[in-house]
Structure formats: structure tokens, C-alpha cells
């Protein structure tokens, strides 16, 4: 991992001068883009819109343990042509986090369907959105569509949680002992989260990006939220819909990093085979966090998918 520093002339620095601390890469700027709120049954949802008001709508869904921050680059690129909607799910990122909060995949799917109606994107009066969903955002989008009637123009599933079995041994360990891990000293908790998040990349994440991914899970509220969401996520939420993938009639693209160690690429082939007419696009050498590992390749795949029918 290479750290970048900016140095001036030699006489402008002394051996005792400390390095300026690095800050999370664009985290504060991205948080300011989520400038609107929606009050859901699971607390306040922070969301934002980018791009031209008359652009075709695109909605981005994050997964776990992520937030809309993982889509920051893609959102800005798509906003050149599209009206891009981004949001942090309850319990994630800048949205509400509190004890007793329902952050299950069932709750998130229902809230997403509500949000689409709130945005005027699922009421039949306007254009339907293209939905781009990563990780368990895929399950959320699929549940909203199959169980709650949410309508999309098209759907991209990026390294998606959609097929059993899912959840690594580490993930199950954390979820099964959430109360214990929730009591870790803050420094140990941060070290655990940094190692866990870093393992999603097939390459070394830049330190400032890793800082931005980890930051929402720090502090008392963040630490509790981190283990809470793992404890509540359960395979039954995909089991309930897996048998219905053959009912999906909209255009679907399954996009996957070939070096994903969290959800191996064989799931991409299985998932594409279960959805009628689904396309498959593999991103060579990218891990589960494909947005960070191969942003240009992912952008090319997704723009190709949303562009032709929506241009």
C-alpha cells in the first residue's frame, strides 16, 4: 500500500514537523450530497439526487457493511446524463442508527419500495428507474420488486446477495455473538472492522478510502450498528424469493468480480441462469468491492446496460 504525501521545499519542513493526518477520501463531501431525509419505520433515511432534473432516473443500492459512499464515483459519472438517486439504508452510513432498530433485509426491501413511491418512481405516472444494486442491495431490490410491487425499467445485480448459501464463517461468527463483539474496546473494534472491510477488495484499498468505508461504524452508535445489522441479516430473506426469480420479466444484468472471495463468481453464473434473459458481465481481477477494485470496467458495464434504452 502506497501512502501519498505532499512535500514543499526542504527548508519549509523540519524533522519534528508532524505529517498532516489523512482524512477519509471525500467522505464529508459525499455526506453533504445526502441532503434530504425520509422518515421510515426504521428511522431517518438520508438520501440525495444528482444530475439533470429531466434525466432518466437511476437508483443506486449499497450493501453491507457499506453505504452509498461505495457508489460515489459511479453516481457522479452517471449524473452527467441521468437523474441519480442515492440513499443510505437505515442503520448504515449517515442514516439513523439506534438500539432496537429493525435493519433486516425484510425491512430494507419494504422501505425501498416506499422510497420509490416517495420519489415518484413507482406510481405509474412517470418513468421507471434503472436500479443498480450491490451486495445485499441486490436482495433488497429483488424483494421490493417480487414482494412489494416495485417496478423498474431494468435491474443490475453487482456481486449480489441473492442465492443460498451466503455469509462467510467470519460473518456468521460476528452475527452469532453480536452482544460480545459489541463490547470490544473501540480500538479493537476498529481494527476488526478495518480488516473485515479490507478483505472485500482483491487489491490493497488506499488508506483514505478504507477510512471512509470504516468511519460510519466507529463510535458508540456505529459500533452497535455494525454488529446489529449482521445479527439481523438472515438467509431466510433470500430463501423467500429465490424460487421466484423465473418470474422476473425486466432486463437484468448480473455483473461480478472474478476474484470475489466473499461471494464466489460461480454464483454469478447460477443467478444469471435463474433469471430469464439475464445478461452476464464479469470484471476480471476485481473482488467483492468491485467499485473500488475496477471502477472504469464497472462503469463501462453499467453505462452500457442503462444507456441504450434510457438515452
Amino acid at each position: 500500500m502506497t501512502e501519498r504525501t505532499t512535500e514543499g521545499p526542504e527548508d519549509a519542513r523540519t524533522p519534528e514537523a508532524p505529517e498532516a493526518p489523512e482524512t477519509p477520501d471525500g467522505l464529508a463531501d459525499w455526506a453533504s450530497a445526502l441532503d434530504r431525509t425520509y422518515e421510515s419505520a426504521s428511522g431517518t433515511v438520508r438520501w440525495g439526487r444528482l444530475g439533470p432534473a429531466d434525466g432518466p432516473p437511476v437508483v443506486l443500492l449499497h450493501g453491507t457493511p457499506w453505504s452509498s459512499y461505495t457508489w460515489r464515483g459511479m453516481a457522479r459519472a452517471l449524473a452527467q446524463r441521468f437523474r441519480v438517486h442515492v440513499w443510505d439504508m437505515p442503520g448504515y452510513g449517515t442514516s439513523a442508527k439506534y438500539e432496537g432498530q429493525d435493519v433486516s433485509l425484510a425491512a430494507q426491501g419494504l422501505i425501498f419500495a416506499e422510497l420509490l413511491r416517495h420519489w415518484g418512481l413507482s406510481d405509474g405516472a412517470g418513468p421507471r428507474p434503472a436500479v443498480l444494486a450491490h451486495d445485499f442491495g441486490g436482495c433488497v431490490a429483488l424483494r421490493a420488486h417480487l414482494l412489494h410491487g416495485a417496478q423498474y425499467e431494468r435491474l443490475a445485480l453487482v456481486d449480489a446477495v441473492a442465492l443460498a448459501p451466503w455469509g462467510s464463517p467470519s460473518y456468521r461468527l460476528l452475527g452469532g455473538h453480536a452482544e460480545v463483539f459489541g463490547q470490544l474496546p473501540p480500538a479493537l473494534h476498529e481494527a476488526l472492522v478495518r480488516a473485515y472491510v479490507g478483505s472485500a477488495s482483491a487489491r490493497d484499498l488506499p488508506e483514505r478510502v478504507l477510512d471512509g468505508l470504516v468511519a460510519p461504524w466507529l463510535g458508540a452508535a456505529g459500533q452497535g450498528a455494525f454488529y446489529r445489522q449482521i445479527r439481523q441479516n438472515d438467509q431466510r430473506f433470500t430463501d423467500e424469493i429465490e424460487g421466484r426469480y423465473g418470474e422476473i420479466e425486466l432486463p437484468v444484468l448480473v455483473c461480478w468480480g472474478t476474484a470475489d472471495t466473499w461471494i464466489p463468481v460461480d454464483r454469478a453464473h447460477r443467478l444469471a441462469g435463474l433469471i430469464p434473459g439475464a445478461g452476464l458481465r464479469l470484471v476480471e481481477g476485481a473482488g467483492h468491492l468491485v467499485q473500488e477494485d475496477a471502477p472504469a470496467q464497472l462503469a463501462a458495464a453499467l453505462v452500457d446496460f442503462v444507456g441504450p434504452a434510457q438515452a
Side-chain angles (χ1 to χ4, degrees), residues 60-259:
L60 303 177
L61 276 71
H62 66 81
T64 180
W66 323 113
S67 69
S68 61
Y69 176 76
T70 57
W71 283 116
R72 65 198 182 283
M74 181 68 64
R76 288 171 175 140
L78 289 170
Q80 302 303 307
R81 292 176 52 196
F82 299 94
R83 185 64 158 169
V84 181
H85 296 69
V86 291
W87 63 299
D88 286 347
M89 297 184 196
Y92 295 79
T94 60
S95 289
K97 304 180 184 77
Y98 56 86
E99 188 64 38
Q101 185 178 25
D102 185 355
V103 295
S104 67
L105 289 167
Q108 306 289 8
L110 182 59
I111 290 166
F112 181 49
E114 293 174 355
L115 261 180
L116 289 173
R117 290 192 291 271
H118 178 68
W119 293 334
L121 298 180
S122 192
D123 56 8
R128 294 177 297 184
V131 174
L132 313 181
H134 176 240
D135 187 81
F136 85 20
C139 176
V140 172
L142 289 164
R143 287 183 66 91
H145 177 63
L146 292 169
L147 302 181
H148 306 301
Q151 298 300 309
Y152 316 139
E153 181 66 26
R154 52 192 54 229
L155 172 64
L157 299 168
V158 181
D159 295 72
V161 171
L163 298 173
W166 55 269
S168 68
S170 296
Y171 189 85
R172 291 192 292 271
L173 176 67
L174 294 172
H177 302 278
E179 291 80 6
V180 175
F181 285 102
Q183 297 177 54
L184 284 173
L188 289 180
H189 165 73
E190 180 175 355
L192 184 154
V193 175
R194 292 180 77 85
Y196 181 72
V197 166
S199 72
S201 171
R203 305 163 188 174
D204 282 341
L205 291 169
E207 200 69 17
R208 290 171 60 190
V209 172
L210 183 57
D211 289 345
L213 295 169
V214 169
W217 303 119
L218 304 183
Q223 182 166 342
F226 181 77
Y227 301 108
R228 184 181 308 118
Q229 51 89 18
I230 297 177
R231 184 181 69 242
Q232 291 187 26
N233 290 336
D234 192 283
Q235 187 176 292
R236 73 180 185 273
F237 298 122
T238 52
D239 291 344
E240 289 172 359
I241 57 173
E242 187 174 327
R244 297 186 58 182
Y245 294 162
E247 301 173 20
I248 298 173
E249 297 180 345
L250 59 140
V252 173
L253 175 69
V254 176
C255 189
W256 224 271
T258 60

